[in-house]
Amino acid sequence: MSEIIKAKPIGNGLNAVRDSFGLVCRDLGVPERSESLSRIDSVTLQNLALNLVSALQTLPASRLLHSTSGGKNLFGDLLRFPTIIGSDEFDLKRSIPLLRTVLDNNVDELVWKEVYNIVAQSALTARGEPSTPPLSEQTPWTFNTGSFAHTSDIRENIDPMLKDEVGDDLKVDHPDVFDAFFGQIPGLHEMTVAVLQSCIEAELPLFQEDVGWIEWPGRCEETAVLHFLRRHVDQFLRFADIHGFRPSKGHRCIATPNTPIPGSVSKRKLDVGLAYNSSNELDKGNGQSYNWSHILIPGELKSNSREDNQSSTWLDLVRYAREIFSAQDTRRFVLGFTLCGSIMRLWEFDRLGVIGSMPFDINKDARMFISVVLGYLWMSEEELGFDPTVGEDDGRYICIRRNGQMERIWLEALVKRQRSVAGRATRCWSGSLIGGSGNRLVVKDSWEHEERPEEGLLLKEATEAGVKNVARYYYHETVFTNGKVDDVRTNVRKGLSDAAGWNPLLLQRAAYPETVTSPMAGTVSASKRGRSSRSSRSSSRTIVRKRSSSDIQASMPPPKRSRSTSPIKQDIKRRNRVHRRLIVYDFGKSIYEASSPRGVLTGLLGGIKGHESLLDAKILHRDISIGNVMLNMTKDDGFLIDFDLAIKIDRDNASGAPSKTGTKVFMAIGALYGDNHNYMHDLESFFWVLFWACIHCTGPGGQRRVSKFQAWNFESTENLAKIKKGSVDEEDKFAKEVDENFTAYCAPLIPCIKELRKVVFPEGKRWLREDRGLYSRIKSIFQQASSGQDALE
């Protein structure tokens, strides 16, 4: 073992952990010494330990040192560590000796000795507990609104899947939402007191105790409520300004419920919200000059207070959040609100799901209403959900520490995005190293299940193994913000308790089990404002005495609210997602951008070569789709990207992640039926990529939508398997389908797809056994088709 440690020194490989510890110490105001570990809270300590384990996995020695559990190597032991350290049974103090050894820059032998100690302790913790599911127990597939291919994005298609997307991690009536997202805004308490006092003491009072807001429209018509909100937001700003409170950035209230907002695939309207208003960037008209990239806070209005309890209300807001996430590529979370009658509720949307606050009546709790409005107006970009690790200096950039040196990388253009709320939410930018060699880079951010092995580790291993026709590794990291791992549970949600609040969909499913398979059953979009169900407020108002600011101060409730109990038991496995960043060298283009049909085949042929090369390195890709097969910039070869779902073939156990997400229209029939995934399924996916491309590609960069195939996005996996099987089982029927549906541009590829069908589906049947020879047969078909027709140019 000592020979391995000497041959593969740690070097600067753990510097990032030391830097993270330094940030934590500076935030806490404690000395940057290992003794300060005892003064760090358990969540931060856990994050440091997980970060250290991630760094240890990247060290070459971890793949050569022996396993303590009979596995392949120490690297395999470390892969299981994150799940164990996150359990309640693991004592975090056990991680301190290892952390202290690293922070004190002890020799490599001592570091690896402590690694073995903590791995052994972790194994003891895991004994007697249910083991991670073996590979034969497939991680279930899930599909979200980012999994669509060529869909029109209309509500009847989007809504059922959107509800499923966020439904498993939906919480309402959470008592701590306000404190978590508004509690750290400087001066908010003082501003609220001052503005409320001004509202009461104005010559024409805006608010009166036991009456409410003087101008609140009794019938809650949409137009009247919008007018009320616009006027009062402006008035709150004026009162705050009088008292010396001024926001650092210009935000303004917008209200255009009948005007679609530009920037969405399908028409989307927004009732009310807050938007950027920097340097009068936005007109003061009715919203023709802004789009979804300007929207900071979306709001949804309903005329009836009873609609606060209907899923259609929060689902409307989820649609808006999805558009904001899509238009704002560095948004980590989105805050919003609903106002049903006079009942207000605050919402937070992130890559796990949705959390809703306790409701409150704005006419009875003026302090809370003013606090919310002022809080939204005074929030910094980070408090609004923007990624603080993306800097701005004549362009956007990120900073990384690579090989012991700090590097700054420009983010030049967004080249890929997933349109979803919950899920991986992959974003890719083209980039370049500032002061570097000029090589083009691709920066990829995604939110992965914390149990899933890091994509960067697999890609690094593939690059070091000399794998061909695959994007080449440059750097990867788990993103840290404010000295902590940027995950959803502890960072984005600021440690909000999982136990508080409750999930109305679980209650619905418990009461009506049939809604599990049809989540939108019985859900009808509620009416907008204009229909009143409450009686008009009395027009005669009794003027009450003015209260002093000290009276108001005394009447304000304490920041923390009492916790509510869940009405039903929610026995759901705790899920979490972690923000990870990967940087690769190779920059390519979609096969849709090929300059000819021959270019489509070139990209696919390169992808096949890459997949086979990966298999030789014992890595299985498992996510062959039209977005993951790239054509290089010279258009003479192709390569594979996206290792989010890739696995080591010789792994002992499944990762334990609750689900995996792919694009179902490209999935093999057997995979849709639930077979254990192997390379034969990926090879079949190449067939479906070519089939799909030829139906939709109309020329270089041109695409069309075909409703018959759009519907594949919304079929169940079993039904889609049957549809696909029916498409290929008979030669004459398949020939008729491609003749009728391939575009004129891709018609020259019809002979190729027919030949490909014969080898991928011999005698119209899917393969039930593995056959490495299928690689060479597919490559031969692509090569012959590419060289044999002038029409492919």
Side-chain angles (χ1 to χ4, degrees):
M1 184 173 77
S2 60
E3 290 78 9
I4 295 174
I5 294 174
K6 291 177 181 177
K8 300 292 183 181
I10 293 174
N12 296 322
L14 302 180
N15 280 354
V17 178
R18 299 182 184 103
D19 291 343
S20 300
F21 175 72
L23 288 173
V24 170
C25 290
R26 288 193 288 275
D27 287 344
L28 295 176
V30 298
E32 292 183 34
R33 298 195 299 266
S34 61
E35 290 79 6
S36 296
L37 286 169
S38 61
R39 302 170 66 177
I40 293 175
D41 64 272
S42 60
V43 172
T44 304
L45 185 62
Q46 184 184 68
N47 287 335
L48 283 172
L50 290 171
N51 186 44
L52 174 56
V53 171
S54 178
L56 290 167
Q57 291 170 1
T58 68
L59 299 178
S62 72
R63 299 173 185 275
L64 301 175
L65 293 170
H66 67 83
S67 168
T68 62
S69 60
K72 182 179 178 181
N73 50 29
L74 181 60
F75 172 79
D77 296 343
L78 291 170
L79 282 178
R80 289 186 285 273
F81 187 80
T83 301
I84 296 171
I85 198 174
S87 70
D88 294 335
E89 289 75 19
F90 185 81
D91 185 357
L92 284 169
K93 292 181 180 179
R94 295 179 181 177
S95 65
I96 290 180
L98 173 58
L99 283 165
R100 181 173 289 128
T101 302
V102 171
L103 296 174
D104 289 342
N105 286 287
N106 279 303
V107 296
D108 291 7
E109 287 81 1
L110 288 178
V111 171
W112 290 114
K113 178 183 177 181
E114 291 298 339
V115 171
Y116 276 110
N117 285 339
I118 197 169
V119 167
Q121 293 169 3
S122 304
L124 290 172
T125 300
R127 286 176 189 166
E129 297 296 319
S131 60
T132 305
L135 183 57
S136 58
E137 295 181 29
Q138 289 281 285
T139 303
W141 288 97
T142 61
F143 303 98
N144 59 31
T145 55
S147 306
F148 296 151
H150 291 89
T151 178
S152 61
D153 223 28
I154 60 176
R155 284 178 57 168
E156 66 184 53
N157 292 332
I158 292 291
D159 282 2
M161 193 167 288
L162 192 57
K163 192 170 184 180
D164 268 353
E165 180 178 313
V166 300
D168 285 341
D169 206 277
L170 166 70
K171 286 289 184 73
V172 299
D173 289 347
H174 199 295
D176 300 324
V177 171
F178 179 85
D179 294 319
F181 293 98
F182 293 77
Q184 305 304 313
I185 300 173
L188 180 59
H189 182 81
E190 292 76 13
M191 280 190 288
T192 299
V193 171
V195 170
L196 178 56
Q197 187 67 36
S198 295
C199 289
I200 294 173
E201 294 180 348
E203 185 175 351
L204 294 176
L206 275 68
F207 180 82
Q208 295 181 7
E209 190 79 31
D210 301 325
V211 175
W213 294 100
I214 303 301
E215 296 183 8
W216 177 253
R219 296 180 60 84
C220 299
E221 300 93 341
E222 182 179 77
T223 302
V225 171
L226 291 174
H227 175 76
F228 169 88
L229 291 174
R230 281 196 300 264
R231 183 178 186 281
H232 283 70
V233 168
D234 290 343
Q235 190 63 61
F236 293 168
L237 280 169
R238 283 193 288 271
F239 285 152
D241 186 74
I242 291 171
H243 291 280
F245 299 106
R246 298 174 183 86
S248 59
K249 296 215 172 182
H251 304 158
R252 75 178 182 89
C253 180
I254 58 170
T256 55
N258 299 313
T259 304
I261 297 179
S264 56
V265 175
S266 189
K267 289 184 178 181
R268 292 283 186 269
K269 301 176 182 179
L270 177 67
D271 284 355
V272 65
L274 294 177
Y276 281 116
N277 190 28
S278 176
S279 302
N280 294 317
E281 178 184 352
L282 305 179
D283 293 341
K284 293 186 178 180
N286 269 336
Q288 293 301 319
S289 62
Y290 66 86
N291 55 44
W292 286 107
S293 66
H294 294 115
I295 306 300
L296 299 174
I297 306 290
E300 175 67 10
L301 308 180
K302 300 291 183 182
S303 62
N304 192 328
S305 61
R306 288 195 296 270
E307 292 180 276
D308 173 62
N309 295 318
Q310 296 183 7
S311 62
S312 60
T313 299
W314 58 260
L315 188 57
D316 284 337
L317 205 59
V318 175
R319 294 190 204 100
Y320 307 150
R322 181 170 178 262
E323 298 298 341
I324 293 171
F325 274 127
S326 300
Q328 300 172 20
D329 54 2
T330 63
R331 203 75 184 259
R332 297 161 60 237
F333 62 89
V334 172
L335 301 176
F337 66 90
T338 51
L339 187 58
C340 301
S342 61
I343 302 300
M344 193 174 212
R345 193 187 292 267
L346 313 180
W347 297 89
E348 186 268 347
F349 306 88
D350 55 44
R351 301 314 187 175
L352 275 182
V354 184
I355 295 184
S357 73
M358 298 288 289
F360 66 94
D361 190 324
I362 69 171
N363 281 304
K364 296 178 180 177
D365 196 341
R367 180 204 66 86
M368 179 64 83
F369 177 55
I370 294 172
S371 291
V372 168
V373 172
L374 295 179
Y376 285 146
L377 293 170
W378 258 261
M379 281 181 175
S380 66
E381 290 200 348
E382 183 176 349
E383 290 164 336
L384 286 165
F386 290 91
D387 188 347
T389 69
V390 177
E392 188 84 34
D393 182 11
D394 294 327
R396 297 189 301 174
Y397 66 89
I398 60 170
C399 291
I400 64 173
R401 179 179 287 277
R402 180 173 177 267
N403 297 329
Q405 300 293 323
M406 291 301 297
E407 296 180 354
R408 180 181 287 193
I409 297 175
W410 288 122
L411 302 182
E412 296 170 349
L414 182 68
V415 295
K416 179 179 180 180
R417 64 176 179 178
Q418 268 190 333
R419 289 177 51 79
S420 65
V421 176
R424 285 182 286 170
T426 300
R427 299 286 192 273
C428 295
W429 300 270
S430 60
S432 60
L433 179 64
I434 301 175
S437 60
N439 285 335
R440 298 295 300 277
L441 299 171
V442 176
V443 179
K444 174 184 177 180
D445 273 22
S446 57
W447 292 80
E448 302 294 335
H449 285 301
E450 62 182 352
E451 301 91 344
R452 192 172 298 286
E454 293 187 60
E455 177 187 10
L457 290 173
L458 278 176
L459 187 56
K460 185 174 187 288
E461 181 177 339
T463 300
E464 292 172 347
V467 169
K468 306 298 183 184
N469 294 89
V470 170
R472 293 171 299 157
Y473 173 88
Y474 183 81
Y475 173 81
H476 82 283
E477 68 178 3
T478 297
V479 177
F480 272 61
T481 59
N482 299 317
K484 298 180 180 180
V485 170
D486 194 18
D487 70 332
V488 175
R489 294 285 183 191
T490 60
N491 204 326
V492 169
R493 293 186 177 178
K494 309 180 192 306
L496 282 175
S497 169
D498 290 343
W502 60 288
N503 189 326
L505 289 184
L506 291 184
L507 184 62
Q508 173 188 351
R509 292 170 185 172
Y512 307 101
E514 68 275 8
T515 62
V516 173
T517 57
S518 180
M520 292 298 290
T523 300
V524 180
S525 179
S527 63
K528 293 284 190 176
R529 293 186 183 273
R531 187 187 72 179
S532 172
S533 64
R534 52 177 276 172
S535 60
S536 175
R537 295 166 67 93
S538 172
S539 58
S540 60
R541 306 264 184 182
T542 303
I543 304 295
V544 299
R545 67 179 181 89
K546 297 179 180 179
R547 297 191 299 164
S548 67
S549 60
S550 60
D551 291 334
I552 299 171
Q553 182 89 23
S555 70
M556 295 178 73
K560 294 291 181 184
R561 291 165 173 254
S562 59
R563 297 184 180 273
S564 62
T565 56
S566 176
I568 57 171
K569 183 179 180 182
Q570 300 179 48
D571 187 18
I572 289 184
K573 182 182 184 296
R574 180 186 185 273
R575 303 184 307 155
N576 196 12
R577 287 188 180 271
V578 179
H579 186 185
R580 292 173 178 166
R581 181 167 288 157
L582 171 67
I583 305 176
V584 299
Y585 277 108
D586 299 285
F587 184 78
K589 58 177 61 180
S590 166
I591 58 176
Y592 280 129
E593 298 178 71
S595 57
S596 67
R598 178 175 279 111
V600 175
L601 295 183
T602 299
L604 288 171
L605 180 59
I608 288 280
K609 292 176 181 177
H611 193 275
E612 187 173 23
S613 186
L614 279 172
L615 195 66
D616 290 336
K618 299 190 180 302
I619 296 174
L620 181 62
H621 190 278
R622 296 201 308 172
D623 192 17
I624 302 301
S625 67
I626 209 158
N628 292 340
V629 181
M630 306 298 290
L631 188 64
N632 65 14
M633 298 307 290
T634 59
K635 303 179 183 178
D636 61 357
D637 206 355
F639 61 96
L640 290 180
I641 63 171
D642 196 346
F643 279 50
D644 284 336
L645 299 184
I647 58 170
K648 289 290 291 182
I649 294 174
D650 56 358
R651 66 177 183 168
D652 296 325
N653 298 301
S655 68
S659 64
K660 56 181 183 284
T661 305
T663 310
K664 71 171 73 171
V665 299
F666 305 114
M667 289 173 59
I669 294 171
L672 290 168
Y673 276 132
D675 293 352
N676 285 343
H677 205 114
N678 61 45
Y679 67 86
M680 298 294 286
H681 295 113
D682 281 359
L683 289 177
E684 183 185 327
S685 289
F686 279 104
F687 168 87
W688 293 112
V689 168
L690 179 59
F691 179 81
W692 190 269
C694 290
I695 288 171
H696 294 91
C697 185
T698 59
Q703 301 173 40
R704 66 171 182 169
R705 293 192 181 99
V706 182
S707 57
K708 172 183 176 180
F709 295 98
Q710 282 185 51
W712 284 18
N713 287 293
F714 313 108
E715 294 287 350
S716 68
T717 53
E718 184 174 352
N719 284 344
L720 183 55
K722 293 176 181 178
I723 291 170
K724 286 187 170 184
K725 185 176 182 299
S727 296
V728 299
D729 59 1
E730 297 179 18
E731 184 174 1
D732 57 341
K733 185 168 62 175
F734 178 75
K736 183 175 183 292
E737 182 154 48
V738 298
D739 289 340
E740 291 178 350
N741 291 291
F742 276 29
T743 64
Y745 176 75
C746 292
L749 295 176
I750 289 178
C752 176
I753 196 76
K754 289 180 178 178
E755 286 301 310
L756 193 61
R757 171 195 162 274
K758 292 178 182 178
V759 301
V760 176
F761 303 101
E763 299 180 357
K765 298 178 182 178
R766 62 189 176 97
W767 285 91
L768 298 177
R769 58 182 176 82
E770 297 181 6
D771 177 13
R772 283 290 297 260
L774 186 56
Y775 278 104
S776 61
R777 291 195 288 276
I778 293 178
K779 288 189 291 185
S780 176
I781 289 172
F782 284 160
Q783 289 164 344
Q784 291 178 16
S786 182
S787 61
Q789 293 189 56
D790 292 336
L792 293 179
E793 292 295 343

